[in-house]
Amino acid sequence: DAGITQSPRYKITETGRQVTLMCHQTWSHSYMFWYRQDLGHGLRLIYYSAAADITDKGEVPDGYVVSRSKTENFPLTLESATRSQTSVYFCASSDPDIHRDYGYTFGSGTRLTVV
Amino acid sequence: QKEVEQDPGPLSVPEGAIVSLNCTYSNSAFQYFMWYRQYSRKGPELLMYTYSSGNKEDGRFTAQVDKSSKYISLFIRDSQPSDSATYLCALRTSGTYKYIFGTGTRLKVLA
């Protein structure tokens, strides 16, 4: 199916564990983004990528690692999960060269709880 | 001061009402303005896009940008219970493709 998919949808992990959230898009969009959404803070950018092998930090990158070896995949890894990383994580993609007016397309989110 | 301010609500209105949702911002360099709608436990979806100043209309929705006041609005006419969602504004400058999001306003349209 065409679109942007995130997995898993729900995840419970323990403090100190490493966890990876997956994001896959089928459009070959150049840009991909990871956001976290928390009450009172809205959507905050963690990392983004303008193309394969090009990534950059967003507003709240500490404690997270990303990679983008293929255009369609943009996994987000929490190296050592902390309770403050309990949140809903959204992946998004876009391609301004093709869809300047279309903004971002978001996945359905991953609800992560760190206990 | 946050770059983008948005009242979190909730805003409760009766069905058929005209709804006004707003964001204020501090960076005069913002040129691209978007509104997203987010239903509970779903990802945001793009509703309206506006470049620079002026109005844009799409069905029951109107997006308005007032750059002199650093104020953007989304109007919903003839609101429906299906419009109940959180509405987020998103803004960016021309030098980047990163959008800054407001915190969102939760809207409830009562049948």
Side-chain angles (χ1 to χ4, degrees):
Chain A
D1 290 338
I4 183 164
T5 54
Q6 293 184 236
S7 61
R9 285 279 281 145
Y10 302 91
K11 176 75 176 178
I12 300 174
T13 192
E14 294 178 340
T15 302
R17 296 251 187 191
Q18 182 181 81
V19 60
T20 296
L21 310 184
M22 304 302 293
C23 180
H24 174 80
Q25 51 109 350
T26 60
W27 299 294
S28 298
H29 282 170
S30 56
Y31 277 82
M32 294 188 76
F33 306 83
W34 273 107
Y35 285 88
R36 60 178 290 174
Q37 188 174 38
D38 306 285
L39 205 61
H41 292 280
L43 284 164
R44 291 183 291 175
L45 182 64
I46 304 171
Y47 270 95
Y48 68 103
S49 168
D53 297 322
I54 300 175
T55 62
D56 209 346
K57 295 178 181 178
E59 182 186 354
V60 288
D62 292 344
Y64 303 95
V65 174
V66 293
S67 62
R68 195 168 176 205
S69 57
K70 292 184 177 181
T71 300
E72 60 267 29
N73 296 324
F74 192 37
L76 176 73
T77 297
L78 287 67
E79 295 185 294
S80 178
T82 65
R83 289 198 181 91
S84 65
Q85 293 178 309
T86 292
S87 186
V88 181
Y89 291 84
F90 287 102
C91 178
S93 75
S94 188
D95 197 317
D97 291 333
I98 301 172
H99 300 302
R100 190 193 72 166
D101 294 359
Y102 289 9
Y104 299 171
T105 301
F106 284 86
S108 297
T110 294
R111 190 169 293 265
L112 177 69
T113 302
V114 183
V115 297
Chain B
Q1 183 191 7
K2 289 184 177 179
E3 278 194 283
V4 180
E5 300 273 5
Q6 190 174 8
D7 189 322
L11 177 63
S12 293
V13 301
E15 183 176 357
I18 296 175
V19 176
S20 172
L21 303 165
N22 311 296
C23 285
T24 58
Y25 61 94
S26 56
N27 186 353
S28 58
F30 284 131
Q31 295 267 31
Y32 298 85
F33 306 92
M34 295 197 172
W35 285 95
Y36 285 81
R37 177 175 62 196
Q38 185 177 20
Y39 291 114
S40 182
R41 296 187 176 264
K42 300 284 187 184
E45 56 179 340
L46 182 64
L47 202 55
M48 298 283 287
Y49 161 79
T50 312
Y51 171 69
S52 195
S53 286
N55 292 1
K56 187 172 184 179
E57 191 173 317
D58 184 2
R60 296 185 295 111
F61 298 90
T62 300
Q64 198 172 76
V65 175
D66 182 348
K67 293 190 76 179
S68 61
S69 302
K70 299 193 185 72
Y71 191 87
I72 64 172
S73 301
L74 177 71
F75 297 97
I76 306 174
R77 290 183 299 282
D78 187 26
S79 56
Q80 303 295 309
S82 58
D83 295 326
S84 298
T86 296
Y87 290 81
L88 301 103
C89 60
L91 300 77
R92 73 172 174 97
T93 65
S94 59
T96 177
Y97 200 61
K98 293 183 293 179
Y99 277 89
I100 306 295
F101 284 83
T103 52
T105 299
R106 192 152 62 97
L107 171 68
K108 293 182 181 179
V109 181
L110 307 171

